[in-house]
Amino acid sequence: MEKQKIIIDTDPGQDDAVAILLALASPELEVLGLTTVAGNVPLNLTQKNARIICELAGRADLPVFAGCDQPLRRNLVTAEHVHGRTGLDGPSLPDPTMPLDPRHAVAFLIETLRAAPPGQVTLCTLGPLTNLATAFGEAPDIIPRIGQIIAMGGAYFEVGNITPAAEFNIYVDPEAADIVVRSGVPLTFMPLDVTHKALVTAPRNAAFRALGNGAGVATAEMTDFFERFDRAKYGSDGAPLHDPTVIAYLLKPELFSGRHVNVAVETRSDLTLGMTVADWWGVTNRAPNVTFMGDLDADGFFALLTERLARLP
Ligand code: BDR
Ligand code: CA
């Protein structure tokens, strides 16, 4: 079986952490590296958290890169109110001993895409799109070499979580998201419309814990912590596992359904900054540029995730 080559661009974040674990547990995927970005918490913490998770998965050999520490043109907005002070609050995990790769994440993206045959590398983005947009600006020749981008970001029916109109990853760096949606690269978005259906209910959390391995117990502890916010805000049954949907889509696309539509990002309005305006109903003649997911088989998603986490240390 030829493995699918992916780079995970991430701002861990408990749900990012679970996405990374899912990828590292999956033999269909070859993770070339983790590129980190400022988002849920500042860059010094996201790069450290990515290394903590690699070590939890027994993958201290993976290269982890620090990338952009600020959005393209705006001040960084973080989400400690959701993820806690460290970004990985919940489990007690040791500080990493594996080194941070000295190269910049953007340099790694450019080098890797230039070296690989065109179309071979998939970019999985779990945070603000600053690293990608910066790489596109510095090296536009890499854009047609990308196989596809699968991104957690945006919302249409659910509208927003960080503001009434915008989802966090897009809101933090709307100019970067605008560059990516206009890039012409095949794009799939996992918006809140999908991820708010991927809820860690009490039985699903118990199933993670019952695995008894480090990855399963840490996932139970992370989602325990993470759920208090969404339970209070939305009255939902548990934590939404936003970012793991990106990896699950690569493994089992049949769990998801959506539409290929035009998506534009609002970059000018103060009121609706970062809104993903998805032409779900086809009321414009703007060309489709994103496969925008709308639904998932939540039981199938959690069965896949639990089965994969069981394979880790
Ligand atoms: C997204 O924002 C972050 O808080 C999560 O990690 C996820 O990537 C959800 O809006
Ligand atoms: Ca994230």
Side-chain angles (χ1 to χ4, degrees):
M1 175 185 62
E2 176 136 17
K3 290 178 183 254
Q4 197 168 345
K5 293 180 172 37
I6 67 170
I7 296 172
I8 303 178
D9 189 71
T10 178
D11 63 336
Q14 292 89 348
D15 62 319
D16 300 71
V18 180
I20 295 166
L21 293 174
L22 175 59
L24 296 181
S26 295
E28 302 92 332
L29 305 177
E30 179 184 352
V31 182
L32 302 177
L34 302 183
T35 53
T36 60
V37 66
N40 285 322
V41 285
L43 183 69
N44 64 326
L45 290 172
T46 60
Q47 57 86 353
K48 176 180 168 191
N49 292 343
R51 290 181 292 134
I52 290 174
I53 297 305
C54 287
E55 290 189 359
L56 177 65
R59 290 298 307 277
D61 58 298
L62 260 188
V64 175
F65 305 87
C68 300
D69 63 358
Q70 285 290 326
L72 296 184
R73 291 204 224 138
R74 297 177 189 273
N75 292 328
L76 178 65
V77 175
T78 53
E80 285 87 354
H81 60 296
V82 184
H83 300 272
R85 192 182 47 81
T86 66
L88 272 192
D89 280 21
S92 167
L93 296 169
D95 277 354
T97 55
M98 65 185 277
L100 180 66
D101 194 289
R103 284 171 290 170
H104 194 281
V106 169
F108 171 73
L109 284 166
I110 294 171
E111 271 168 36
T112 307
L113 287 161
R114 281 183 177 159
Q120 291 273 297
V121 177
T122 291
L123 304 182
C124 298
T125 70
L126 314 179
L129 291 157
T130 321
N131 286 339
L132 265 65
T134 305
F136 291 7
E138 282 182 20
D141 58 291
I142 64 172
I143 297 173
R145 304 184 69 86
I146 299 168
Q148 58 173 336
I149 298 171
I150 320 288
M152 191 281 136
Y156 181 65
F157 295 98
E158 290 282 300
V159 200
N161 58 357
I162 185 76
T163 75
E167 181 279 327
F168 179 80
N169 289 341
I170 306 297
Y171 177 77
V172 171
D173 200 341
E175 284 77 18
D178 179 53
I179 289 170
V180 171
V181 300
R182 290 170 185 273
S183 67
V185 178
L187 272 170
T188 300
F189 269 33
M190 293 294 167
L192 297 180
D193 310 334
V194 168
T195 68
H196 279 173
K197 294 173 185 152
L199 297 177
V200 187
T201 57
R204 289 168 179 161
N205 183 281
F208 295 146
R209 198 178 300 274
L211 294 174
N213 59 351
V217 173
T219 298
E221 292 174 349
M222 286 192 281
T223 51
D224 265 347
F225 179 87
F226 188 40
E227 77 159 23
R228 82 209 185 299
F229 175 77
D230 283 81
R231 206 181 266 279
K233 179 171 169 186
Y234 296 107
S236 56
D237 282 345
L241 274 187
H242 305 283
D243 294 337
T245 60
V246 166
I247 306 299
Y249 177 70
L250 290 176
L251 301 170
K252 278 199 166 189
E254 65 274 18
L255 294 175
F256 299 87
S257 59
R259 295 186 183 182
H260 191 55
V261 298
N262 181 272
V263 176
V265 177
E266 177 59 73
T267 56
R268 282 170 295 193
S269 157
D270 285 342
L271 192 61
T272 58
L273 186 70
M275 187 172 196
T276 46
V277 181
D279 188 7
W280 187 261
W281 302 112
V283 295
T284 74
N285 55 12
R286 297 196 284 260
N289 56 345
V290 175
T291 301
F292 200 81
M293 291 301 170
D295 207 354
L296 93 162
D297 166 357
D299 286 336
F301 167 76
F302 280 97
L304 172 70
L305 177 59
T306 310
E307 182 264 312
R308 293 304 166 96
L309 291 175
R311 302 180 186 202
L312 291 173

